Amino acid sequence: MTAKKTRQINKTVLFVLILAIVSSVGLPSAKAEENPSTGQEMKYAAFAGMDYGFFAQSSVPVNETLKRGYQLSFRSSITRYWPEWIGELGLGWFFNRIRSAGEINDMTRLTTTAFFLDISGRYRIDQNWQVGPVIDILVGNSNVTFSQVSSNENSLAIVGGVRGAYEFTFSPIQVRGYAQIMTDLTIADRQGWWFQLGAQIGLPVHLPFEF
């Protein structure tokens, strides 16, 4: 088995373990969320917000240098509430800037921008706290592998991890703060890590369909 295939398997195993840990948490269920304007059970809310955090590579090909930097993301989403779970589907755009870490003679700087599809499911620990897995599918018109080798062939990548959130009502607005740790799942020959903090505000909405 090649080293490339081994690294890919390790990434998959890591994410499966994350999902297993989160799914096995046996905690008391939360009450159904209420619409602050009507007092009825709230099923959907539309959110918008941003997050900012640290990005670092833990492994790269031998002809590249490790890099670190920051990422700023803007995202909007639709949240579906159940008594014990929350499902979220969103779209966003990010700006990522990294540079060589600790290499005095290497001034390589990389800037990556791309859109992403955000998919998250979280267990409701109580009325406010939530935790669960998250997957982002990155789609760009250029390379989204965070490589210093210029290429337009890798315009799609998948990253995954865990997101923890705290949500409360400031009538009629829903306010959510969150933290997440993520790593790439499909990028070959390198491993990147994201550590991010974010905030969103939302409003209850009525959709013409159920999901």
Side-chain angles (χ1 to χ4, degrees), residues 92-106:
W93 178 88
F94 73 81
F95 176 91
N96 179 291
R97 175 165 288 175
I98 55 178
R99 60 174 295 174
S100 296
E103 300 289 339
I104 299 177
N105 297 322
D106 189 340

Side-chain angles (χ1 to χ4, degrees), residues 152-174:
N152 293 327
E153 297 179 359
N154 299 296
S155 59
L156 187 145
I158 300 175
V159 301
V162 173
R163 178 182 294 165
Y166 183 87
E167 185 175 328
F168 63 94
T169 301
F170 188 74
S171 184
I173 297 173
Q174 295 293 115

